[in-house]
Amino acid sequence: MLSIIATLISIGFCTWLGGLLGLESKNSSLSKYEQYIKDGEHLLLVDLKTNECVETLKLFSKQFHDAQLLDHLADELIPFDFMRTVH
């Protein structure tokens, strides 16, 4: 029983520590947009299903005339089509 409690405490501590370290680290996928952020531009990240991309781009172009699309690649790390999103 003591070993189970010690294991649960260790797992909880490691989860807590990993969460704190994760909050401190920068998102490496946003590094290519870092110059836009430093220049004071607004960066809007939108997750969409692949079939919703065209409609959403039309909507954004009507509302925000000076907005520009920086990237529209699908996340290929997710093997299932129904879970894949466009960033």
Side-chain angles (χ1 to χ4, degrees), residues 14-64:
C14 290
T15 302
W16 173 76
L17 183 62
L20 288 180
L21 293 175
L23 287 174
E24 286 294 317
S25 64
K26 288 185 175 182
N27 189 344
S28 62
S29 63
L30 295 178
S31 62
K32 57 186 170 183
Y33 308 118
E34 191 169 329
Q35 188 60 41
Y36 291 103
I37 297 170
K38 286 181 180 178
D39 291 342
E41 299 289 330
H42 296 282
L43 180 64
L44 179 64
L45 301 174
V46 181
D47 286 333
L48 301 168
K49 299 293 181 191
T50 307
N51 59 352
E52 299 171 338
C53 188
V54 175
E55 296 172 15
T56 306
L57 287 176
K58 287 180 185 177
L59 178 67
F60 275 104
S61 66
K62 288 179 184 176
Q63 296 293 325
F64 306 103

